[in-house]
């Protein structure tokens, strides 16, 4: 009798010794992703505009994981020069960057230009810096770009229109690049993460500008939060699967982690992109 041999072997991206560049790593989700990647043997260079918190995080993580695997540089990623200088410093410190996580974000409806500069501008710039460095057809090693959006990237949100616009921009930019016909040559994957609300510095109601904090507190209380650890697992899911390109992964309390959209690249990396799931 024939054995069932329909076993699928999935080769996941090995993060060990990979160079990572991440923005907004001093606290919240960014810090959670840094810790996870360090625990898996990656080397991480993170930036943040919060210098004190960034330094403290660096000291703590160097003590735990080693002084030669985690590096912090202060940078405001809404400033193109600071952002580029930090990316270049990451490349010279780590040797190469193969994973880029554009995570830094703010919510401040009374400063919509800043919201767009950080949440959309820095994700676009960071992606282009990473693409240029990683692309195989220009001597790079390939890699993956993860852009942290939000559930607010997928729906209109009357509470925070500018924040919502900035997150929609991230989805549009990332999925458009994922369809680039040169994908097979440059070997860089593009993914978006869309989490529901989780506890972090951003949920500090004092920092939300002129938003109606009483209403927000009431909604958040009723709605609940996803755990940062669940959101970090979502990032790992996007990162690890070598077939993932153009993926939008939602992480919510009701549905857990699920793909809203995804395209696959054949194992040989030379076929056209095929949309396998849409919404
Ligand atoms: N907290 C939440 O419920 C959700 C957050 N997100 C997104 O997750 C990402 C991370 O946010 P959280 O961890 O929640 O916030 P957080 O406020 O805890 O951490 C964000 C970090 O980014 C840094 N940052 C802000 N502006 C910066 C700039 N111009 N340059 C460099 N660093 C800067 C902050 O100093 C902070 O350390 C953001 O993109 C946010 O929009 C998405 C969905 C839900
Ligand atoms: C806009 C909400 C969904 C995503 C959450 C997010 O990206 C960041 C949240 C940060 C702080 C919380 C402040 C405002 C959100 C308030 C209420 C959310 C619920 C509204 C809704 O889901 O429609």
């Amino acid at each position: 009798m024939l054995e069932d041999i329909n076993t699928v072997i999935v080769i996941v991206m090995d993060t060990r010794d990979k160079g990572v560049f991440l923005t907004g790593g001093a606290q919240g989700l960014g810090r959670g992703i840094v810790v996870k990647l360090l625990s898996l043997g990656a080397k991480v260079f993170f930036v943040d505009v919060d210098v004190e918190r960034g330094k403290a995080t660096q000291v703590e993580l160097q003590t735990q994981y080693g002084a030669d695997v985690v590096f912090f540089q202060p940078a405001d990623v809404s400033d193109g020069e600071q952002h580029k200088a930090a990316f270049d410093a990451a490349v010279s410190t780590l040797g190469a960057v193969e994973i880029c996580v554009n995570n830094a974000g703010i919510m401040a409806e009374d400063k919509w230009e800043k919201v767009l500069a950080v949440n959309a501008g820095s994700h676009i710039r960071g992606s282009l810096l990473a693409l240029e460095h990683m692309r195989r057809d220009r001597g790079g090693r390939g890699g993956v770009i993860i852009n942290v959006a939000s559930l607010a990237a997928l729906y209109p949100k009357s509470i925070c229109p500018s924040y919502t616009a900035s997150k929609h921009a991230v989805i549009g930019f990332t999925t458009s690049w994922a369809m680039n016909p040169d994908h097979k040559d440059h070997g860089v994957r593009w993914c978006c993460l869309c989490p529901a609300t989780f506890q972090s510095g951003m949920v500090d109601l004092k920092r939300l500008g002129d938003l109606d904090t009483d209403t927000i507190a009431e909604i958040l209380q009723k709605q609940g939060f996803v755990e940062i650890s669940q959101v970090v697992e979502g990032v790992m899911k996007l990162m690890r699967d070598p077939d993932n390109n153009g993926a939008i992964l939602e992480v919510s309390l009701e549905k857990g982690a699920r793909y809203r959209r995804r395209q696959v690249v054949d194992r040989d990396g030379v076929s056209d992109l095929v949309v396998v799931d849409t919404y």
Side-chain angles (χ1 to χ4, degrees):
M1 200 174 98
L2 280 176
E3 296 277 329
D4 179 4
I5 53 166
N6 293 325
T7 308
V8 180
I9 299 173
V10 179
I11 302 163
V12 297
M13 181 184 192
D14 184 2
T15 45
R16 219 168 328 138
D17 294 323
K18 291 276 188 303
V20 181
F21 180 77
L22 178 143
T23 65
Q27 61 179 326
L29 177 61
R31 183 193 158 109
I33 299 168
V34 172
V35 170
K36 180 71 186 186
L37 286 167
L38 289 172
S39 76
L40 293 171
K43 296 188 175 185
V44 184
F45 190 105
F46 71 95
V47 301
D48 206 291
V49 72
D50 185 337
V51 182
E52 289 318 306
R53 218 184 279 264
K55 281 183 181 162
T57 297
Q58 173 182 244
V59 168
E60 203 180 309
L61 297 181
Q62 284 186 338
T63 307
Q64 193 172 350
Y65 295 98
D68 56 345
V69 294
V70 54
F71 308 91
F72 167 65
Q73 177 158 314
D76 178 346
V77 293
S78 68
D79 178 309
E81 279 180 24
Q82 289 186 41
H83 194 170
K84 183 174 184 328
F87 189 87
D88 290 347
V91 171
S92 56
T93 306
L94 302 172
V97 169
E98 286 167 81
I99 298 170
C100 175
V101 186
N102 296 304
N103 164 75
I106 55 169
M107 185 181 283
E109 289 298 310
D110 52 346
K111 300 190 186 94
W112 65 266
E113 283 147 316
K114 186 77 175 179
V115 168
L116 287 169
V118 178
N119 297 5
S122 83
H123 284 51
I124 291 174
R125 185 184 312 102
S127 297
L128 295 175
L129 286 167
L131 174 67
E132 197 53 35
H133 167 71
M134 291 172 175
R135 53 189 307 161
R136 286 202 191 109
D137 52 355
R138 300 200 187 144
R141 299 180 183 178
V144 58
I145 297 169
I146 309 277
N147 283 327
V148 177
S150 159
L151 271 192
L154 305 174
Y155 306 100
K157 296 285 178 190
S158 60
I159 281 178
C160 45
S162 304
Y163 180 83
T164 301
S166 71
K167 296 299 186 179
H168 273 65
V170 169
I171 299 281
F173 175 79
T174 311
T175 54
S176 297
W177 258 107
M179 296 181 74
N180 185 280
D182 292 343
H183 177 87
K184 61 188 179 190
D185 300 319
H186 64 59
V188 176
R189 298 187 286 116
W190 297 77
C191 300
C192 296
L193 181 79
C194 293
T197 311
F198 53 85
Q199 296 274 19
S200 73
M202 194 180 269
V203 181
D204 175 354
L205 298 184
K206 292 190 294 296
R207 289 172 45 184
L208 291 177
D210 60 5
L211 290 185
D212 175 356
T213 48
D214 289 344
T215 308
I216 290 174
E218 205 178 300
I219 295 172
L220 294 178
Q221 175 83 12
K222 246 189 245 157
Q223 201 178 251
F225 297 94
V226 290
E227 295 294 325
I228 285 200
S229 57
Q230 280 177 276
V231 183
V232 171
E233 283 313 314
V235 175
M236 298 315 297
K237 191 175 165 80
L238 285 171
M239 206 175 274
R240 279 188 182 133
D241 184 344
D243 293 341
N244 243 342
N245 184 39
I248 300 174
L249 185 80
E250 170 183 333
V251 185
S252 68
L253 266 177
E254 304 77 31
K255 309 273 185 186
R258 63 164 188 160
Y259 285 112
R260 296 292 296 258
R261 183 176 194 272
R262 195 165 174 243
Q263 300 164 178
V264 291
V265 189
D266 272 5
R267 286 290 140 105
D268 61 8
V270 296
S271 67
D272 291 334
L273 298 167
V274 181
V275 175
V276 293
D277 184 16
T278 54
Y279 63 95

